[in-house]
Amino acid sequence: MKRPLRPLVGIRMTEYLRRCAGYRIEWRRLFLMGAIMTAAGVVLQMFTLPYPLNVWFLSMPVTVTTTTTTTTTSGESNSTMKLRERVIESRVEHSRIVSAAPSVLLNSRTELSETVIEPDTSSPLEPQIKAPTRQTRKSVSRRRKKNIKVKKVLPPPPPPPPRRIIPYRLQKFIWSLRPIEALEYAKKEIEHAPEVTDDPELYTPLFRNVSIFKRSYDLMEMILKVYIYPDGKRPIFHEPHLRGIYASEGWFMKLMEENGQFVTKDPEKAHLFYLPYSARQLELALYVPGSHNLRPLSIFLRDYANMLAAKYPFWNRTHGSDHFLVACHDWGPYTLTMHTELTKNTIKALCNADLSEGIFTAGQDVSLPETTIRTPRKPLRNIGGGNRVSQRPILAFFAGNMHGRVRPTLLKHWENKDEDMRIYGPLPVRVSRKMSYIQHMKTSKYCICPMGFEVNSPRIIEAIYYECVPVIIADNFVLPFAEVLDWSSFSVVVAEKDIPKLKEILLAIPLRRYLTMQINVKMAQKHFIWNPRPVRHDLFHMILHSIWFSRLNRIQISES
């Protein structure tokens, strides 16, 4: 069947080609019909489509100017005017979209894949332009909407002040001095410090003598070198404890060992020697729970100091007077008692700065602020944000566990006695449901900071963090950085015997003075903050300056 069909198909194709070859095409009519159809298409899209053809081809935007007229011709109706206004608005809107589109040259080396087009959600072009990013679901259930928490975008922190540039000649002169000569030079310079009335980095009302502090701090940055003993095994040594109320010693150890400005590896160039142990880690490693026996801890530190004296010549050279330790645990002073030089000569930075115990020495030792760190990765979390004075209806607030001699007396006189005095033991559940502990501090004018078993309390620094004027009730307590800071400018100190008159004392403070103290509390925050990277005049530098200042006070200047 296939063979007879082949000749028939060939005959038909030949006849069809002959007819087509003889047919005459009228090209003029063809071009005319094409022009008419093109014109009709252009006019049609102007009145039917919501945007012009130039948007389709991503041409450059055309500036459209409109003139409003008060009168219209008789042949133009109101509907035509409204239609034209819509067309003009559509052109202006989409010309902005096109202007945001990237222009790509043919000879350009830029790849199209690197160009990202972000569609405008209010534009009708959104379905036409596909963004490379994954689209999120538009419809969200009502239950999910309630659970969505809007994160507050906080402004970036201000940049740290620039590091002070030291003249080369002065730095060369300091490098030429022996450590003891450099300390003598610094003490002479501080005694003749130039007067400072205003400084952009320091708030003058906070300081006893801002001129002396500024000169001493600048000299510390130029001169001070600290040698850290490498001896000692973890966890007691070189392993900082960064969480809880005893975290100050751990944060100082961490930042000190990471520091490249003050630390030296050459002990012959050092002005101070750091004993890098943690009192909190000492307790966790050696103390037997429930034994009430601190003797093993004291023996351990005694043997450690004797080992340093036998291995290195630096301890015996000054009998430990140029050595320092940092301990925030309540037991810190009591673990030193079995070594005489460690107790009497060494500079001790202690949270438990109690003069009545006979271990802490004012003028020689340093009162260490006790700070509560809940999240070591974010030590600045929840700092600041206190309410202004008009939004602080509570006169005084305290809540805490009942231990020591002061807190039971405080509750005896003021618990449930006065609406203005919110004094509790542990914060009751019925109260915490309405307002948390931190919210109480942020809405109180004064925060009561009574001592517990020991004179130190983390509430003092918490009150400063939440911009609440601290009221300190702890006799024989040396306040942190008392050698340079004027605590009377931003706090109230009440004697233990005056607890019954506490409200009377607070109400006697004039409003103008309270407003000044509240401003000073805000300005003092920068000196009590742990920064992951230390900043000038922050808590790390303030502790180091107090140790440096204590060392200078013990230097005897020779007449020569």
Side-chain angles (χ1 to χ4, degrees):
M1 292 294 292
K2 293 183 179 180
R3 291 181 181 179
L5 286 177
R6 288 181 180 177
L8 182 60
V9 173
I11 293 170
R12 292 289 185 183
M13 290 295 295
T14 305
E15 185 178 357
Y16 180 74
L17 291 174
R18 286 177 182 178
R19 289 183 181 182
C20 290
Y23 183 77
R24 184 176 180 182
I25 301 175
E26 296 182 0
W27 296 101
R28 292 182 180 180
R29 291 184 181 182
L30 184 62
F31 284 127
L32 180 60
M33 289 299 294
I36 293 173
M37 292 177 66
T38 303
V42 172
V43 175
L44 181 64
Q45 66 88 26
M46 291 177 61
F47 292 97
T48 58
L49 299 180
Y51 41 86
L53 283 178
N54 59 352
V55 176
W56 285 91
F57 297 99
L58 297 179
S59 61
M60 294 302 294
V62 180
T63 305
V64 180
T65 58
T66 60
T67 57
T68 58
T69 58
T70 58
T71 61
T72 60
T73 60
S74 59
E76 189 172 20
S77 62
N78 292 333
S79 61
T80 308
M81 288 294 295
K82 292 180 180 179
L83 184 59
R84 288 186 177 181
E85 289 177 0
R86 291 178 182 177
V87 173
I88 291 173
E89 292 175 359
S90 175
R91 290 180 179 180
V92 173
E93 181 180 359
H94 297 298
S95 65
R96 294 174 182 171
I97 299 172
V98 176
S99 63
S103 58
V104 182
L105 300 178
L106 294 177
N107 296 328
S108 174
R109 296 182 180 179
T110 305
E111 298 180 0
L112 291 176
S113 61
E114 296 178 357
T115 305
V116 178
I117 302 175
E118 297 182 357
D120 187 2
T121 56
S122 63
S123 170
L125 277 181
E126 182 180 349
Q128 308 295 334
I129 300 176
K130 295 182 179 180
T133 57
R134 185 176 60 184
Q135 295 183 356
T136 57
R137 294 177 60 185
K138 294 183 179 179
S139 61
V140 183
S141 62
R142 293 182 179 179
R143 186 173 297 178
R144 285 188 61 188
K145 285 182 179 180
K146 291 181 180 179
N147 295 332
I148 292 176
K149 295 182 179 179
V150 180
K151 293 183 178 180
K152 296 181 180 180
V153 181
L154 299 177
R163 188 171 176 179
R164 186 169 176 268
I165 300 175
I166 304 173
Y168 175 73
R169 290 185 179 180
L170 178 59
Q171 189 67 70
K172 187 177 180 180
F173 167 73
I174 292 173
W175 287 343
S176 65
L177 298 176
R178 293 185 296 112
I180 188 62
E181 294 175 344
L183 294 175
E184 292 177 355
Y185 165 78
K187 188 169 184 177
K188 291 178 182 178
E189 288 292 314
I190 293 172
E191 290 176 353
H192 302 87
E195 184 178 1
V196 176
T197 56
D198 188 18
D199 189 273
E201 298 180 17
L202 300 174
Y203 190 62
T204 304
L206 298 178
F207 295 89
R208 293 181 177 274
N209 191 323
V210 70
S211 302
I212 292 178
F213 173 76
K214 178 175 174 56
R215 187 57 180 155
S216 175
Y217 188 93
D218 292 343
L219 288 168
M220 179 189 74
E221 289 187 322
M222 286 190 292
I223 296 175
L224 180 59
K225 294 297 176 184
V226 178
Y227 179 75
I228 303 175
Y229 282 107
D231 305 84
K233 295 181 180 180
R234 295 173 181 268
I236 299 175
F237 299 93
H238 308 286
E239 186 170 310
H241 191 86
L242 303 178
R243 188 189 301 271
I245 62 175
Y246 304 126
S248 290
E249 62 183 25
W251 274 91
F252 181 86
M253 180 192 299
K254 176 182 180 295
L255 298 178
M256 189 77 252
E257 293 194 332
E258 293 175 355
N259 191 276
Q261 178 183 0
F262 298 107
V263 174
T264 180
K265 294 183 179 180
D266 185 358
E268 296 294 341
K269 297 180 179 179
H271 307 91
L272 288 169
F273 295 82
Y274 176 38
L275 310 179
Y277 81 95
S278 168
R280 174 60 173 166
Q281 297 286 35
L282 183 68
E283 178 216 359
L284 295 175
L286 299 181
Y287 178 70
V288 178
S291 65
H292 305 287
N293 184 15
L294 301 183
R295 184 177 176 83
L297 285 68
S298 299
I299 293 175
F300 180 87
L301 289 182
R302 181 199 64 187
D303 295 341
Y304 172 68
N306 290 334
M307 181 272 295
L308 294 180
K311 185 176 181 180
Y312 300 94
F314 313 110
W315 182 283
N316 295 327
R317 190 170 58 188
T318 61
H319 300 284
S321 62
D322 55 357
H323 288 59
F324 72 93
L325 58 91
V326 178
C328 191
H329 197 278
D330 291 347
W331 298 347
Y334 313 128
T335 57
L336 308 173
T337 54
M338 296 193 70
H339 195 286
T340 304
E341 291 182 347
L342 192 63
T343 306
K344 298 297 183 182
N345 298 341
T346 304
I347 301 172
K348 302 176 290 295
L350 303 173
C351 287
N352 189 5
D354 190 349
L355 290 174
S356 63
E357 299 288 345
I359 300 175
F360 185 92
T361 304
Q364 171 184 323
D365 298 326
V366 173
S367 180
L368 183 67
E370 186 172 357
T371 58
T372 303
I373 302 296
R374 295 178 176 86
T375 308
R377 292 185 178 181
K378 297 179 180 179
L380 303 180
R381 191 174 182 179
N382 295 329
I383 291 178
N387 298 339
R388 56 178 181 266
V389 177
S390 61
Q391 296 178 345
R392 292 178 178 265
I394 304 173
L395 177 63
F397 166 72
F398 167 78
N401 295 324
M402 287 296 100
H403 52 76
R405 64 177 184 269
V406 174
R407 297 182 185 184
T409 306
L410 182 66
L411 259 69
K412 176 183 176 182
H413 288 88
W414 294 109
E415 185 180 22
N416 299 324
K417 299 294 178 61
D418 196 310
E419 185 64 23
D420 293 334
M421 305 288 287
R422 304 286 180 89
I423 308 298
Y424 308 97
L427 193 64
V429 177
R430 58 179 175 80
V431 177
S432 61
R433 286 176 180 175
K434 298 179 181 179
M435 188 183 299
S436 66
Y437 177 84
I438 294 177
Q439 289 173 339
H440 270 90
M441 299 193 84
K442 289 184 177 182
T443 55
S444 300
K445 293 182 175 66
Y446 298 95
C447 290
I448 311 301
C449 306
M451 63 175 288
F453 285 127
E454 307 295 344
V455 292
N456 47 299
S457 172
R459 285 174 180 80
I460 299 174
I461 309 304
E462 286 179 347
I464 294 174
Y465 286 170
Y466 304 132
E467 301 170 8
C468 179
V469 177
V471 179
I472 303 165
I473 307 177
D475 294 350
N476 302 313
F477 179 40
V478 179
L479 294 171
F481 316 136
E483 69 279 359
V484 293
L485 291 182
D486 181 12
W487 278 82
S488 64
S489 65
F490 59 93
S491 69
V492 180
V493 178
V494 177
E496 296 176 15
K497 62 182 179 62
D498 293 332
I499 291 178
K501 300 185 295 182
L502 183 57
K503 184 178 180 180
E504 181 183 349
I505 292 172
L506 297 180
L507 291 178
I509 298 174
L511 177 61
R512 180 175 296 180
R513 185 189 170 196
Y514 170 77
L515 294 175
T516 302
M517 286 195 295
Q518 213 265 340
I519 293 173
N520 292 345
V521 167
K522 294 181 182 180
M523 303 306 293
Q525 280 181 351
K526 62 180 289 186
H527 303 301
F528 295 92
I529 288 178
W530 290 112
N531 290 289
R533 293 184 179 180
V535 180
R536 293 190 75 199
H537 307 117
D538 68 353
L539 186 51
F540 168 75
H541 286 96
M542 291 295 289
I543 296 172
L544 191 61
H545 175 267
S546 292
I547 297 170
W548 151 267
F549 199 73
S550 172
R551 175 62 181 143
L552 290 181
N553 287 337
R554 303 173 71 184
I555 292 292
Q556 299 295 330
I557 301 177
S558 59
E559 297 180 359
S560 59

